[in-house]
């Protein structure tokens, strides 16, 4: 089936630096791209999303970029804090109204 | 606001046992999902349902059954639990496939 590739799987950064996660998708008809954050022992929660009519979206310390030609989207966490340590998942809507396809996740670790 | 509840929170089963997990949502969402998450890994879609009595297979449907008894509830059955199986089963709901998915707290399965 369709897949969403997410890299890197593990990301270690220093507090105050930025962290970037990249995802690629297969279906050019995909129109919705959410990002979820999952803290240890918790359920995933939506932190930001972008639709195909936009190329960039920013909320607080998060930036999402979408390149439809390359079928690539990315999450950038600016000025990382220890509270940003978590697993992050990207997802893309596939063709035909089926369920979102999730990436395999990135474990982000922010050290003081 | 709304809430998703999953029961039980912890489930311990024996090899070969048939086990049922339940999920309820009061968002009045049309679509509901079941995911499996192995420790430190991504989300794998088992089944989803776009309306009452509808059922759609995900990539991981083999070994599972599901039932959407009514709009607010979606149950998952492990048809024959595998020895040493450990995973968290997450239920989610959304307005439709291009909107935010809200996740429940999960059911943690251990098979002895």
């Amino acid at each position: 089936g369709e897949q969403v590739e997410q890299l890197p799987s593990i990301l270690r950064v220093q507090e105050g630096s930025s962290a970037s996660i990249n995802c690629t998708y297969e279906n050019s008809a995909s129109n919705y791209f959410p990002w979820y954050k999952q803290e240890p022992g918790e359920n995933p929660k939506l932190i930001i999303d972008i639709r195909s009519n936009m190329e960039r979206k920013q909320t607080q310390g998060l930036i999402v970029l979408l390149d439809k030609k390359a079928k690539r989207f990315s999450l950038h966490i600016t000025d990382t804090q220890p509270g940003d340590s978590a697993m992050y998942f990207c997802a893309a809507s596939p063709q035909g109204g089926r369920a979102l396809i999730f990436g395999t996740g990135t474990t982000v670790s922010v050290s003081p | 606001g709304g809430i998703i509840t999953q029961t039980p929170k912890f489930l311990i089963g024996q090899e070969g046992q048939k086990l049922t997990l339940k999920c309820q949502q009061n968002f009045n969402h049309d679509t509901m999902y079941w995911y499996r998450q192995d420790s430190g890994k991504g989300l794998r879609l088992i089944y989803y349902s776009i309306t009452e009595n509808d059922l759609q297979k995900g990539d991981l449907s083999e070994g599972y059954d599901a039932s959407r008894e009514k709009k607010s509830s979606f149950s998952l059955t492990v048809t024959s639990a595998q020895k040493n199986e450990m995973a968290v089963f997450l239920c989610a709901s959304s307005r439709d496939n291009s909107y935010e998915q809200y996740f429940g707290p999960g059911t943690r399965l251990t098979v002895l």
Side-chain angles (χ1 to χ4, degrees):
Chain A
E2 292 182 45
Q3 292 189 356
V4 172
E5 186 174 358
Q6 182 173 347
L7 291 170
S9 56
I10 298 173
L11 183 56
R12 295 189 176 92
V13 297
Q14 289 283 112
E15 183 177 356
S17 66
S18 61
S20 296
I21 305 170
N22 298 293
C23 290
T24 56
Y25 60 98
E26 296 178 359
N27 182 6
S28 56
S30 295
N31 61 2
Y32 176 60
F33 307 90
W35 287 88
Y36 286 81
K37 176 181 180 182
Q38 185 179 27
E39 301 193 57
E42 299 289 322
N43 52 355
K45 293 180 176 63
L46 182 76
I47 52 173
I48 190 169
D49 57 14
I50 191 167
R51 296 191 181 272
S52 56
N53 59 349
M54 299 177 71
E55 294 179 348
R56 185 181 191 277
K57 185 173 180 180
Q58 181 168 359
T59 177
Q60 299 177 324
L62 303 174
I63 299 171
V64 172
L65 302 175
L66 173 62
D67 181 344
K68 285 177 288 186
K69 278 188 181 175
K71 291 187 278 188
R72 182 171 57 220
F73 58 114
S74 57
L75 173 70
H76 305 273
I77 309 170
T78 60
D79 188 24
T80 53
Q81 300 297 311
D84 294 322
S85 296
M87 181 169 273
Y88 293 80
F89 295 98
C90 63
S93 59
Q95 190 173 35
R98 292 173 53 84
L100 285 175
I101 299 173
F102 281 83
T104 50
T106 297
T107 301
V108 173
S109 176
V110 181
S111 53
Chain B
I3 191 168
I4 295 182
T5 55
Q6 290 187 239
T7 54
K9 191 169 182 178
F10 298 96
L11 182 57
I12 299 175
Q14 301 290 328
E15 185 181 13
Q17 194 176 359
K18 186 175 178 180
L19 303 166
T20 298
L21 293 69
K22 294 190 179 294
C23 177
Q24 298 262 355
Q25 54 97 1
N26 64 359
F27 288 101
N28 199 33
H29 283 162
D30 287 315
T31 308
M32 295 185 74
Y33 313 80
W34 275 107
Y35 293 92
R36 173 181 166 135
Q37 186 174 33
D38 292 277
S39 182
K41 300 276 179 69
L43 305 170
R44 292 189 287 173
L45 182 67
I46 307 172
Y47 273 101
Y48 69 104
S49 166
I50 61 174
T51 189
E52 185 178 335
N53 294 320
D54 176 73
L55 206 55
Q56 309 280 342
K57 288 184 178 181
D59 290 337
L60 202 65
S61 60
E62 189 169 336
Y64 302 93
D65 285 327
S67 175
R68 183 82 181 273
E69 304 90 359
K70 49 187 178 180
K71 187 175 183 178
S72 62
S73 67
F74 193 29
S75 60
L76 179 73
T77 298
V78 181
T79 55
S80 179
Q82 300 299 303
K83 190 173 174 64
N84 297 322
E85 183 174 5
M86 279 182 68
V88 175
F89 290 84
L90 290 166
C91 175
S93 72
S94 68
R95 186 173 145 186
D96 66 30
N97 71 304
S98 61
Y99 287 87
E100 175 180 3
Q101 289 188 20
Y102 293 83
F103 285 83
T107 292
R108 187 171 296 274
L109 171 67
T110 302
V111 181
L112 302 176

